[in-house]
Amino acid sequence: MDYRPDSRSIHICQSPDCGCGLSRRDFLRLSALTAASVAAPLLSAGDALAQGAGSDQPVKIGYLPITDATPLLVAHGRKLFEAEGLRVEKPRLFRSWAQIVEAFVAGQVNVIHLLSPATLWVRYGTRFPAKVVAWNHVNGSALTVAPGINSVAELGGKTVAIPFWYSIHNVLLQQILQANGLVPVTKARDSGLARNEVNLIVLPPAEMVSALAGKSIAGFIVADPFNALAETAGVGKVLRLSGDVWKNHACCVTFLAERDIAERPEWAQRVTNAIVRAQLWTRSNQLEAAKLLSSADDNRYTPHSPQVLAKVLATTDYASYEASGAARNKGWYQRRIDFQPYPFPSYTEELVRVLQKTKVEGDNAFLAKLDPRFAARDLVDDRFVRKAIAAVGGPSAFGLPADLLRKEVLAV
């Protein structure tokens, strides 16, 4: 199977109940944009130079208002990109993954954080040439439910929201449901559900807390701080932390267009350097990071309060999650969210295997043909992050093994 990116194999949503997270209009636009973007490398060498190959391209960040974006926003707020000699524009906030993917493909932004499974969909499903250059963080998500729900079994016959079909949230939720004898389904809102069925719908993260408060859903699984926001508002409680299901799993990763990597390798290196330094700083400055990302800071990167963000970043209440059963693996000694940039190949391989067994809407034929080892080599370019990690003290600076190898652990 030829996996080289091109403009084919894009699913066009025909039904308003598809739930794929992208409307028919979104897909038509993305299809046209992908075709144009893939054709771009075929320009003559002179045309390419005229478009500005080199390291002078400005950094144009695209992000969602979630803690997954922390390294990009900290790097911007602390002027770490400028310290690398880069020009940088004000980061652009998006409300949904559909919007951020469209802007990335169109070239409106060139440095984004993206759900790790979504990178597989972008590269092999839509065939847009882009690569993972680093992880943004590990863990940092949770399954949050209405206050009256006390077990996974009680989600039977109810609706739960996910942020995107190609998300670690969808993967982990289905693992959790199936382990508790429940069947994930996708049905129209007015369809009846059996007692053992859980209806999955896609909602933008920013809409989930209000949907839970309005009782149109029984729960959601998403990145923080929306879980923490539901907790502090008293409209939801964490039933399970994602990092307690898949130990130190990646969620969002740093995604760059392959053309930028090929034409501007020094630019890609400097971008990665700034992001790695931002992660290292954040690990030791959690409360400062919470304020920097909050609505109280002059940058106003997110609409969240420092208190809500600190609940995630500072993890001061982790013991309560162990007591409630939201964190069952006490020996893992994890943070609610942590930051380390190295993209372990073992994770990408296992992600492909698990995703191949996960229900996703739309044209997912590419998944069945995707070899896990091939994807780990082809999707990820770790040259830049290896150099960046070495420059700040090596793997030990992030508590990583010296050989940068690990075994994936899932404990549903």
Side-chain angles (χ1 to χ4, degrees), residues 277-326:
R277 291 182 182 278
Q279 293 194 45
L280 189 61
W281 179 86
T282 303
R283 297 187 85 227
S284 301
N285 298 275
Q286 298 158 328
L287 293 177
E288 292 91 338
K291 183 178 184 303
L292 175 63
L293 300 179
S294 75
S295 57
D297 186 79
D298 291 341
N299 287 302
R300 296 186 180 276
Y301 292 123
T302 77
H304 310 300
S305 71
Q307 293 76 18
V308 168
L309 289 163
K311 187 175 180 65
V312 180
L313 294 167
T315 62
T316 54
D317 59 352
Y318 204 84
S320 67
Y321 296 122
E322 294 180 340
S324 71

Coordinates of all heavy atoms in Angstrom, one line a residue, residues 277-326:
R277 N 11.9 23.7 25.7 CA 12.2 24.6 26.9 C 11.0 25.0 27.6 O 11.0 25.2 28.9 CB 13.0 25.8 26.4 CG 14.4 25.4 25.9 CD 15.2 26.7 25.4 NE 16.5 26.3 24.9 CZ 17.6 26.0 25.7 NH1 17.5 26.1 27.0 NH2 18.8 25.6 25.1
A278 N 9.9 25.3 26.9 CA 8.7 25.6 27.6 C 8.1 24.5 28.4 O 7.6 24.7 29.5 CB 7.6 26.0 26.5
Q279 N 8.3 23.3 28.0 CA 7.8 22.1 28.8 C 8.6 22.0 30.0 O 8.1 21.7 31.1 CB 7.9 20.9 27.9 CG 6.9 20.8 26.8 CD 6.7 19.5 26.2 OE1 6.6 18.5 26.9 NE2 6.7 19.4 24.8
L280 N 9.9 22.1 29.9 CA 10.8 22.0 31.0 C 10.5 23.1 32.1 O 10.4 22.8 33.3 CB 12.3 22.1 30.6 CG 13.3 21.8 31.7 CD1 13.2 20.3 32.1 CD2 14.7 22.0 31.1
W281 N 10.3 24.3 31.7 CA 9.9 25.4 32.6 C 8.6 25.1 33.3 O 8.4 25.3 34.5 CB 9.9 26.7 31.8 CG 9.5 27.9 32.7 CD1 10.3 28.6 33.5 CD2 8.2 28.4 33.0 NE1 9.6 29.6 34.2 CE2 8.3 29.4 33.9 CE3 6.9 28.0 32.5 CZ2 7.2 30.2 34.3 CZ3 5.8 28.8 32.9 CH2 6.0 29.8 33.8
T282 N 7.6 24.6 32.5 CA 6.3 24.4 33.1 C 6.3 23.3 34.1 O 5.5 23.4 35.1 CB 5.3 24.0 31.9 OG1 5.3 25.0 30.9 CG2 3.9 23.8 32.5
R283 N 7.1 22.3 34.0 CA 7.1 21.2 35.0 C 7.5 21.7 36.4 O 7.1 21.1 37.4 CB 8.1 20.1 34.6 CG 7.8 19.4 33.3 CD 8.7 18.3 33.0 NE 8.2 17.1 33.7 CZ 9.0 16.3 34.4 NH1 10.3 16.5 34.6 NH2 8.5 15.2 34.9
S284 N 8.3 22.8 36.4 CA 8.7 23.3 37.7 C 8.0 24.6 38.1 O 8.3 25.1 39.2 CB 10.2 23.5 37.7 OG 10.9 22.3 37.4
N285 N 7.2 25.1 37.3 CA 6.5 26.4 37.5 C 5.0 26.3 37.2 O 4.5 27.0 36.4 CB 7.2 27.5 36.7 CG 8.6 27.7 37.0 OD1 9.0 28.4 37.9 ND2 9.5 27.0 36.3
Q286 N 4.4 25.4 37.9 CA 3.0 25.1 37.5 C 2.0 26.2 37.8 O 1.2 26.5 37.0 CB 2.6 23.8 38.3 CG 3.4 22.6 38.0 CD 3.4 21.5 39.1 OE1 3.3 21.9 40.2 NE2 3.5 20.3 38.7
L287 N 2.2 26.8 39.0 CA 1.2 27.9 39.3 C 1.5 29.1 38.4 O 0.5 29.8 38.0 CB 1.4 28.3 40.8 CG 0.9 27.2 41.8 CD1 1.2 27.7 43.2 CD2 -0.6 26.9 41.6
E288 N 2.7 29.4 38.1 CA 3.1 30.5 37.2 C 2.5 30.2 35.8 O 2.0 31.2 35.1 CB 4.6 30.7 37.1 CG 5.2 31.3 38.4 CD 5.6 30.1 39.3 OE1 5.1 29.0 39.2 OE2 6.5 30.4 40.2
A289 N 2.6 29.0 35.4 CA 2.0 28.6 34.1 C 0.5 28.8 34.1 O -0.1 29.2 33.1 CB 2.4 27.2 33.7
A290 N -0.1 28.4 35.1 CA -1.6 28.6 35.2 C -2.0 30.0 35.1 O -3.0 30.3 34.4 CB -2.1 28.0 36.6
K291 N -1.3 30.9 35.7 CA -1.6 32.3 35.6 C -1.3 32.8 34.2 O -2.1 33.6 33.6 CB -0.8 33.2 36.6 CG -1.1 34.6 36.6 CD -0.3 35.4 37.6 CE -0.8 36.9 37.6 NZ -0.7 37.5 36.3
L292 N -0.2 32.4 33.6 CA 0.2 32.8 32.2 C -0.9 32.4 31.2 O -1.2 33.2 30.3 CB 1.5 32.2 31.9 CG 2.0 32.4 30.4 CD1 2.2 33.9 30.2 CD2 3.3 31.7 30.1
L293 N -1.5 31.3 31.4 CA -2.5 30.8 30.4 C -3.9 31.3 30.7 O -4.8 31.2 29.8 CB -2.6 29.2 30.5 CG -1.3 28.5 30.2 CD1 -1.6 27.0 30.3 CD2 -0.8 28.8 28.8
S294 N -4.1 32.0 31.8 CA -5.4 32.3 32.3 C -6.0 33.6 31.7 O -5.2 34.4 31.1 CB -5.4 32.4 33.8 OG -4.8 33.6 34.2
S295 N -7.2 33.9 32.0 CA -7.9 35.1 31.6 C -7.3 36.3 32.4 O -7.6 37.5 32.1 CB -9.4 35.0 31.8 OG -9.7 34.6 33.1
A296 N -6.6 36.0 33.5 CA -6.1 37.1 34.3 C -4.8 37.6 33.8 O -4.3 38.7 34.2 CB -5.8 36.6 35.8
D297 N -4.2 36.9 32.8 CA -2.9 37.4 32.3 C -3.2 38.4 31.1 O -4.3 38.3 30.5 CB -2.1 36.2 31.7 CG -0.7 36.6 31.2 OD1 0.2 36.8 32.1 OD2 -0.6 36.7 30.0
D298 N -2.3 39.3 30.8 CA -2.5 40.2 29.8 C -2.7 39.6 28.4 O -3.4 40.1 27.5 CB -1.3 41.2 29.7 CG -1.2 42.1 30.9 OD1 -2.3 42.3 31.6 OD2 -0.2 42.7 31.2
N299 N -2.1 38.4 28.2 CA -2.2 37.7 26.9 C -3.6 37.1 26.7 O -4.0 37.0 25.5 CB -1.1 36.6 26.8 CG 0.2 37.2 26.6 OD1 0.5 37.9 25.6 ND2 1.2 36.8 27.5
R300 N -4.3 36.8 27.8 CA -5.6 36.2 27.7 C -5.7 35.1 26.7 O -6.5 35.0 25.8 CB -6.7 37.3 27.3 CG -6.8 38.4 28.4 CD -7.9 39.3 28.1 NE -8.0 40.3 29.1 CZ -8.7 40.2 30.3 NH1 -9.3 39.1 30.5 NH2 -8.7 41.2 31.1
Y301 N -4.8 34.1 26.8 CA -4.7 33.0 25.9 C -6.0 32.1 26.0 O -6.4 31.6 25.0 CB -3.5 32.1 26.3 CG -2.2 32.7 25.9 CD1 -1.2 32.8 26.9 CD2 -1.8 33.1 24.7 CE1 0.0 33.4 26.7 CE2 -0.6 33.7 24.4 CZ 0.3 33.8 25.4 OH 1.6 34.3 25.1
T302 N -6.5 32.0 27.2 CA -7.7 31.2 27.4 C -8.7 32.0 28.3 O -8.3 32.9 28.9 CB -7.4 29.8 28.1 OG1 -7.2 30.1 29.5 CG2 -6.2 29.2 27.6
P303 N -10.0 31.5 28.3 CA -11.0 32.2 29.1 C -11.1 31.7 30.5 O -12.0 32.0 31.3 CB -12.3 31.9 28.3 CG -12.1 30.6 27.7 CD -10.6 30.5 27.4
H304 N -10.1 30.8 30.9 CA -10.2 30.1 32.2 C -9.5 30.9 33.3 O -8.5 31.6 33.1 CB -9.6 28.7 32.0 CG -10.1 27.9 30.9 ND1 -11.4 27.6 30.7 CD2 -9.4 27.4 29.8 CE1 -11.6 26.9 29.6 NE2 -10.4 26.8 29.0
S305 N -10.0 30.7 34.5 CA -9.4 31.3 35.7 C -8.1 30.7 36.1 O -7.9 29.5 35.8 CB -10.3 31.3 36.8 OG -10.5 30.0 37.4
P306 N -7.2 31.4 36.8 CA -6.0 30.7 37.3 C -6.3 29.6 38.2 O -5.6 28.6 38.2 CB -5.3 31.9 38.0 CG -5.8 33.1 37.4 CD -7.2 32.8 37.1
Q307 N -7.4 29.7 39.0 CA -7.7 28.6 39.9 C -8.1 27.3 39.2 O -7.7 26.2 39.6 CB -8.9 29.1 40.8 CG -8.6 30.2 41.8 CD -8.5 31.6 41.1 OE1 -9.0 31.7 40.0 NE2 -7.9 32.5 41.7
V308 N -8.9 27.4 38.1 CA -9.3 26.2 37.4 C -8.0 25.6 36.7 O -7.8 24.4 36.7 CB -10.3 26.6 36.3 CG1 -10.5 25.4 35.3 CG2 -11.7 26.9 37.0
L309 N -7.2 26.4 36.1 CA -6.0 25.9 35.5 C -5.0 25.3 36.5 O -4.4 24.3 36.2 CB -5.3 27.0 34.7 CG -6.1 27.4 33.4 CD1 -5.6 28.8 32.9 CD2 -6.0 26.4 32.3
A310 N -4.9 25.9 37.7 CA -4.0 25.4 38.7 C -4.5 24.0 39.2 O -3.7 23.2 39.6 CB -3.9 26.4 39.9
K311 N -5.8 23.8 39.2 CA -6.4 22.5 39.6 C -5.8 21.4 38.7 O -5.7 20.3 39.2 CB -7.9 22.6 39.5 CG -8.6 21.3 40.1 CD -10.1 21.6 40.1 CE -10.9 20.3 40.6 NZ -10.6 20.1 42.1
V312 N -5.5 21.7 37.5 CA -5.0 20.8 36.5 C -3.5 20.7 36.6 O -2.9 19.7 36.8 CB -5.4 21.1 35.1 CG1 -4.8 20.1 34.1 CG2 -6.9 21.2 35.0
L313 N -2.8 21.9 36.5 CA -1.4 21.9 36.4 C -0.7 21.6 37.7 O 0.4 21.0 37.7 CB -1.0 23.3 35.9 CG -1.4 23.6 34.4 CD1 -1.2 25.1 34.2 CD2 -0.6 22.8 33.5
A314 N -1.3 22.0 38.8 CA -0.6 21.8 40.1 C -0.9 20.5 40.8 O -0.3 20.1 41.7 CB -0.9 23.0 41.0
T315 N -2.0 19.9 40.3 CA -2.4 18.6 40.8 C -2.5 18.5 42.3 O -2.1 17.4 42.9 CB -1.5 17.5 40.2 OG1 -0.2 17.7 40.7 CG2 -1.5 17.5 38.7
T316 N -2.9 19.5 43.0 CA -2.9 19.5 44.5 C -3.9 18.5 45.1 O -3.8 18.1 46.2 CB -3.2 20.9 45.0 OG1 -4.4 21.4 44.4 CG2 -2.1 21.8 44.6
D317 N -4.9 18.1 44.3 CA -6.0 17.3 44.8 C -5.9 15.9 44.3 O -6.9 15.2 44.3 CB -7.4 17.9 44.5 CG -7.6 18.1 43.0 OD1 -6.6 17.9 42.2 OD2 -8.7 18.4 42.6
Y318 N -4.8 15.4 43.9 CA -4.7 14.1 43.3 C -5.1 13.0 44.2 O -5.7 12.0 43.8 CB -3.3 13.8 42.8 CG -3.2 12.8 41.7 CD1 -3.4 13.2 40.4 CD2 -2.9 11.5 41.9 CE1 -3.3 12.3 39.3 CE2 -2.8 10.5 40.9 CZ -3.0 10.9 39.6 OH -3.0 10.0 38.6
A319 N -4.8 13.2 45.5 CA -5.2 12.1 46.5 C -6.7 11.9 46.5 O -7.1 10.7 46.8 CB -4.7 12.5 47.9
S320 N -7.5 12.9 46.3 CA -8.9 12.7 46.3 C -9.4 11.8 45.2 O -10.4 11.1 45.3 CB -9.6 14.1 46.2 OG -9.4 14.7 45.0
Y321 N -8.7 11.9 44.0 CA -9.0 11.0 42.9 C -8.7 9.6 43.2 O -9.4 8.6 42.8 CB -8.3 11.5 41.7 CG -8.8 12.9 41.2 CD1 -7.8 13.9 41.1 CD2 -10.1 13.2 40.9 CE1 -8.2 15.2 40.7 CE2 -10.5 14.4 40.6 CZ -9.6 15.4 40.4 OH -10.0 16.7 40.1
E322 N -7.6 9.3 44.0 CA -7.3 8.0 44.4 C -8.4 7.4 45.3 O -8.8 6.3 45.2 CB -5.9 8.0 45.0 CG -4.8 8.3 44.1 CD -3.4 8.3 44.8 OE1 -3.4 8.4 46.0 OE2 -2.4 8.2 44.1
A323 N -8.9 8.3 46.2 CA -9.9 7.9 47.2 C -11.2 7.6 46.5 O -11.9 6.7 46.9 CB -10.1 9.0 48.2
S324 N -11.5 8.3 45.4 CA -12.8 8.1 44.7 C -12.8 7.0 43.7 O -13.8 6.5 43.2 CB -13.2 9.4 44.0 OG -12.3 9.7 42.9
G325 N -11.6 6.6 43.3 CA -11.4 5.5 42.3 C -11.2 6.1 40.9 O -11.1 5.3 39.9
A326 N -11.1 7.4 40.8 CA -10.8 8.0 39.5 C -9.4 7.7 39.1 O -9.1 7.7 37.9 CB -11.0 9.5 39.5

